[in-house]
Amino acid sequence: MATATDAPLLEIKDLCLSYFTRAGEIPAVVDFSLSLAAGESVGLVGESGCGKSTVALGIMQYMGHNGGIVGGSIMFKGRDLTTLGDEELRQLRGSEIAMVYQEPMAALNPSLTIGAQLIEVPMVHEKVGEKEARQRALALLADVRLPDPERIMAAYPHQLSGGQQQRVVIAMALLSNPSLLLLDEPTTALDVTVEAGIVALIAELSRKFGTALLYISHNLGLMLEICDRVCVMYSGEVIEEGAIDSIFTWPKHPYTHGLFGCIPLPHTDKNARPLVPIRGQLPLPHQRPAGCNFGPRCDFFKPGLCDAGDIKIETVTADNDAEHRVRCVRWNDIDPKDAIAVGAGKKPVVIGEPVLEVEGLQKYYEVHDRSIGALISGAGTRFVKANEALDFTARRGETVAIVGESGCGKSTFAKVLMGLETATAGEIRLEGRNIAGMAVGKRSAEQLAALQMVFQNPDDTLNPSHTVGSQISRVIRKFGVETDRAKARERMLRLLDLVKLPRDFALRRPRQLSGGQKQRVGIARAFAGNPSMVIADEPVSALDVSVAAAVTELLMDIQREHKTTLLFISHDLGMVRYLADRIVVMYLGQIMERGTTEEVFGPPYHPYTEALLSAVPIADPKIEKRHIVLEGALPSAIDPPKGCPFHTRCPRKLGEICEQERPPVQIDREDHVIACHIPLAELREVEPVIRAAS
């Protein structure tokens, strides 16, 4: 971590930010104070809507026509940003202060190439020539692990994936070596391996140039790895602030305790110690309660004390000149042993007979090259090998996780399973019947009902014109669960009860719901046809930790009740460790390792699994972790490497055998197999990636 100097680079005092609507003033941020020194990194954490991004936009003076600063000051290098004119702010933005946004398409111009947008930054802010600007842009694209920087420079934003777009935006922010870098959920769209590399790159920049970092995220594990201090925000206020070690080892505010209770740590057991989501919802800015804003959701709320008046933030301890402050009148009365709630134990699901059997599955896509050279050479048709010889089984009531980087073939397999694509070869037997070559339009209503999906983004799958109730009822009637409208409506209402949504939500449209509520509607709709198997494709990656915990527990409760098989597709190995009974690790369309969760998370590892585990942020200072940053990018599926597909990035490559020969499938135990040339005896001697601190 960077070492901060004594002089503050950024000093915010009593900042108040508001938006002005027809209904009047909406106070988004109240009484916010922060000091940030050169080279220091401070994290802002909290649920969506608590004001984190508004603080960053306030610093940048980007609050739109109806937002503004109504109180306080923002001092940057001795100048008050609130008093600067438009031209002075333009000179600072991008050069002295840069920002990385969560949604990269909002920061990229769709009508310009990536190269034109990158080159413009140093040319405008530092007056360098086009040639030098181009060389710097190419170097930074390589630093953020983008393959073939020349091709990326020539591409338009829509020709890149979401993760690639985000890396371009990060490179753009770093081009002028800013003194202050504001990062708003900069790695949400990235794989854990890329995230680890980007975080290391940002930390290296901070050390090298003394860049101060204000890092906004809901990922507490990332905060532990990169930040010196943490500010916990709730409903527009800082409710706790302190050094990273102090916050993680002795949090004081009940809300901070609640956040930690929502995070699946290595020792968390989904049956014995399930996650406990924070009850209730964040209050709207114009509906904040009297006294403590967190009062209606707090298990330690005391009437007459917690709602008696405004609660000021106070210093509770000062260790090594790092103050720990908290906005709570009862922090000293709360026993730390009782602060983090532990869920009541639940009976594990009894694993039954096989529901899904995948054997030798292949999915290839034809790519036609119409050029003269390709036609002459006979190489006009090539194949993208998205899935190659997949073999695994999922049993009734079992949760099987498929993990790997973007481009490894996880979503392609899900499409084949759902019938949106058909297999090139091999079999997918669902309850004994092969559906690999059966497109969705040719499947019976029973087969469609038996296999349902919960998507990552519910906005893409919910019809904005129809009510929630009508969308769930349609599934019930279409699959013949209930044909009578009255009975279908009653079942729809029971499904809303099951996903813990009020029954009057049946009359609402998707735009009237929060992200977590829309995801619950998606889950209700997926279970409406009594499926034997549900595919969950990154269902909680875009949600706050508290909402993610609630959705996760909901999925498991429904699974327990209906004995449903759950296929969980994710790159969040922390959540996978908590949820999954068995794990399939994929790389470039092939299975590198599969086994029970306990087997996959402990030696022997496939080297790729080892790298994935090392990249997982863990929000527990008592856990030690080996760091392995993969070099290079995922190879192209249209031209995969010979031999082991992972050999181009493998830190344990043996040599020519890995480059020329396909690795054998080695059996460690009955359900644990590893596709690798390294002998099992040698893999068993590998030091564990994750272990308790000594």
Side-chain angles (χ1 to χ4, degrees):
M1 289 184 184
T3 303
T5 61
D6 293 330
L9 176 80
L10 176 73
E11 191 166 16
I12 303 173
K13 288 186 178 179
D14 305 324
L15 183 66
C16 296
L17 305 171
S18 293
Y19 290 97
F20 298 89
T21 68
R22 293 178 182 177
E25 181 180 347
I26 306 296
V29 173
V30 181
D31 189 26
F32 181 90
S33 296
L34 172 70
S35 181
L36 185 59
E40 187 179 24
S41 56
V42 173
L44 286 184
V45 300
E47 295 169 283
S48 296
C50 70
K52 308 185 301 295
S53 297
T54 302
V55 168
L57 293 174
I59 295 171
M60 293 291 288
Q61 308 282 297
Y62 271 153
M63 293 188 64
H65 67 279
N66 68 330
I69 298 169
V70 295
S73 61
I74 306 173
M75 303 297 294
F76 176 73
K77 291 187 173 181
R79 303 168 70 188
D80 190 346
L81 299 184
T82 65
T83 65
L84 299 185
D86 291 343
E87 183 57 36
E88 292 173 300
L89 288 171
R90 272 194 291 271
Q91 292 174 3
L92 283 175
R93 295 178 188 138
S95 57
E96 291 281 352
I97 306 174
M99 185 167 178
V100 177
Y101 297 88
Q102 180 176 0
E103 178 47 62
M105 279 304 286
L108 294 173
N109 189 326
S111 64
L112 296 177
T113 64
I114 297 300
Q117 297 181 66
L118 289 174
I119 291 171
E120 182 183 42
V121 176
M123 289 181 67
V124 169
H125 290 296
E126 301 178 49
K127 310 302 181 188
V128 302
E130 183 177 347
K131 184 177 180 181
E132 182 184 343
R134 181 177 178 80
Q135 290 304 314
R136 281 170 55 174
L138 287 168
L140 258 176
L141 288 179
D143 284 340
V144 296
R145 312 289 191 270
L146 277 168
D148 195 356
E150 288 282 1
R151 181 184 66 82
I152 297 294
M153 291 277 281
Y156 287 88
H158 71 272
Q159 295 174 305
L160 306 181
S161 69
Q164 290 174 328
Q165 291 170 2
Q166 188 65 288
R167 280 176 270 180
V168 167
V169 171
I170 291 170
M172 188 180 295
L174 300 178
L175 265 173
S176 287
N177 299 328
S179 301
L180 174 62
L181 189 58
L182 311 176
L183 302 118
D184 189 358
E185 299 278 11
T187 58
T188 300
L190 305 181
D191 294 314
V192 287
T193 50
V194 177
E195 179 181 71
I198 293 296
V199 166
L201 174 68
I202 292 171
E204 181 184 345
L205 176 94
S206 179
R207 287 191 297 268
K208 185 176 180 180
F209 298 104
T211 306
L213 307 177
L214 186 62
Y215 203 103
I216 297 169
S217 179
H218 64 261
N219 190 330
L220 286 163
L222 270 183
M223 293 293 176
L224 182 60
E225 292 190 1
I226 65 174
C227 292
D228 303 308
R229 289 188 292 123
V230 173
C231 290
V232 182
M233 291 191 70
Y234 183 80
S235 191
E237 295 179 332
V238 173
I239 51 96
E240 187 162 9
E241 178 192 359
I244 196 81
D245 291 337
S246 184
I247 291 287
F248 276 77
T249 56
W250 191 28
K252 310 294 192 300
H253 200 284
Y255 178 62
T256 312
H257 287 297
L259 290 178
F260 280 110
C262 295
I263 300 170
L265 297 174
H267 56 75
T268 310
D269 186 286
K270 68 177 181 179
N271 296 312
R273 294 171 61 88
L275 301 177
V276 181
I278 302 172
R279 58 184 173 84
Q281 294 183 4
L282 194 80
L284 295 173
H286 59 286
Q287 295 177 343
R288 290 176 178 134
C292 178
N293 288 339
F294 187 60
R297 305 174 71 187
C298 183
D299 294 331
F300 302 95
F301 179 80
K302 190 172 182 179
L305 177 64
C306 297
D307 55 1
D310 291 341
I311 297 173
K312 300 296 183 184
I313 194 164
E314 60 176 299
T315 300
V316 296
T317 183
D319 300 320
N320 299 324
D321 298 323
E323 288 188 346
H324 191 146
R325 304 189 302 156
V326 66
R327 195 184 298 269
C328 178
V329 294
R330 297 205 63 204
W331 69 267
N332 212 19
D333 302 332
I334 300 171
D335 187 340
K337 296 178 182 178
D338 301 329
I340 297 181
V342 177
K346 300 176 182 179
K347 289 184 178 181
V349 178
V350 178
I351 307 300
E353 74 283 0
V355 171
L356 180 74
E357 297 168 283
V358 181
E359 187 175 324
L361 180 75
Q362 293 180 338
K363 176 59 185 176
Y364 293 177
Y365 294 96
E366 285 190 12
V367 178
H368 300 282
D369 187 346
R370 304 294 185 185
S371 66
I372 298 296
L375 292 173
I376 293 173
S377 66
T381 300
R382 302 164 73 189
F383 293 93
V384 176
K385 299 180 179 180
N387 288 154
E388 182 74 78
L390 303 187
D391 294 280
F392 69 93
T393 301
R395 298 172 175 84
R396 193 171 303 282
E398 186 178 41
T399 300
V400 177
I402 301 181
V403 302
E405 296 169 285
S406 297
C408 74
K410 306 187 300 293
S411 295
T412 297
F413 170 71
K415 290 177 182 178
V416 175
L417 185 56
M418 291 295 295
L420 302 175
E421 302 277 0
T422 55
T424 304
E427 293 189 359
I428 299 175
R429 294 188 294 275
L430 180 66
E431 297 189 343
R433 184 169 181 184
N434 184 17
I435 60 171
M438 196 180 297
V440 65
K442 295 183 179 180
R443 295 184 184 182
S444 66
E446 291 76 15
Q447 288 173 325
L448 293 173
L451 196 59
Q452 290 292 296
M453 191 162 182
V454 179
F455 295 88
Q456 178 178 2
N457 188 354
D459 283 320
D460 292 341
T461 58
L462 295 177
N463 192 320
S465 302
H466 293 180
T467 63
V468 165
S470 67
Q471 297 188 59
I472 298 173
S473 297
R474 181 177 182 273
V475 176
I476 296 169
R477 295 195 304 273
K478 181 177 178 60
F479 293 145
V481 178
E482 293 286 358
T483 54
D484 182 79
R485 284 188 174 273
K487 290 181 179 179
R489 174 176 170 75
E490 182 56 34
R491 177 169 172 78
M492 175 270 294
L493 294 174
R494 290 200 304 271
L495 280 166
L496 289 179
D497 294 339
L498 190 65
V499 297
K500 298 178 175 59
L501 287 175
R503 289 192 168 198
D504 61 5
F505 273 37
L507 301 175
R508 295 192 181 188
R509 285 178 168 76
R511 67 175 183 274
Q512 297 172 290
L513 276 59
S514 69
Q517 290 168 341
K518 283 185 280 195
Q519 192 63 287
R520 291 179 185 220
V521 172
I523 292 170
R525 191 174 63 175
F527 282 89
N530 289 333
S532 56
M533 184 169 194
V534 169
I535 305 167
D537 188 2
E538 300 277 12
V540 298
S541 63
L543 304 178
D544 291 320
V545 288
S546 56
V547 179
V551 170
T552 300
E553 294 304 313
L554 175 64
L555 274 172
M556 288 192 296
D557 286 344
I558 298 175
Q559 183 186 42
R560 288 186 182 96
E561 182 173 333
H562 295 276
K563 303 295 187 291
T564 310
T565 303
L566 185 63
L567 192 66
F568 190 79
I569 298 173
S570 181
H571 67 261
D572 183 349
L573 271 77
M575 187 60 74
V576 163
R577 180 169 189 158
Y578 175 72
L579 264 180
D581 301 303
R582 288 193 300 122
I583 298 174
V584 176
V585 181
M586 288 184 63
Y587 183 82
L588 211 62
Q590 301 182 37
I591 294 177
M592 298 288 98
E593 182 172 359
R594 58 179 168 84
T596 66
T597 302
E598 183 179 352
E599 290 166 345
V600 170
F601 271 78
Y605 307 110
H606 188 283
Y608 180 56
T609 308
E610 186 181 10
L612 287 178
L613 295 178
S614 77
V616 180
I618 300 175
D620 187 348
K622 297 188 288 296
I623 297 293
E624 287 183 347
K625 189 179 64 172
R626 287 195 291 119
H627 288 274
I628 304 166
V629 177
L630 290 180
E631 299 296 333
L634 193 77
S636 170
I638 200 171
D639 188 21
K642 287 181 64 179
C644 175
F646 186 57
H647 84 258
T648 59
R649 303 168 73 196
C650 182
R652 299 184 183 276
K653 187 174 76 169
L654 296 177
E656 187 175 343
I657 188 173
C658 296
E659 297 172 359
Q660 299 298 326
E661 296 183 24
R662 189 160 180 171
V665 176
Q666 304 184 75
I667 301 175
D668 175 43
R669 299 179 193 174
E670 182 181 355
D671 286 329
H672 188 206
V673 299
I674 298 174
C676 187
H677 288 291
I678 303 173
L680 270 177
E682 188 175 332
L683 291 176
R684 290 191 183 103
E685 297 300 317
V686 172
E687 181 185 354
V689 174
I690 300 169
R691 64 183 180 183
S694 55

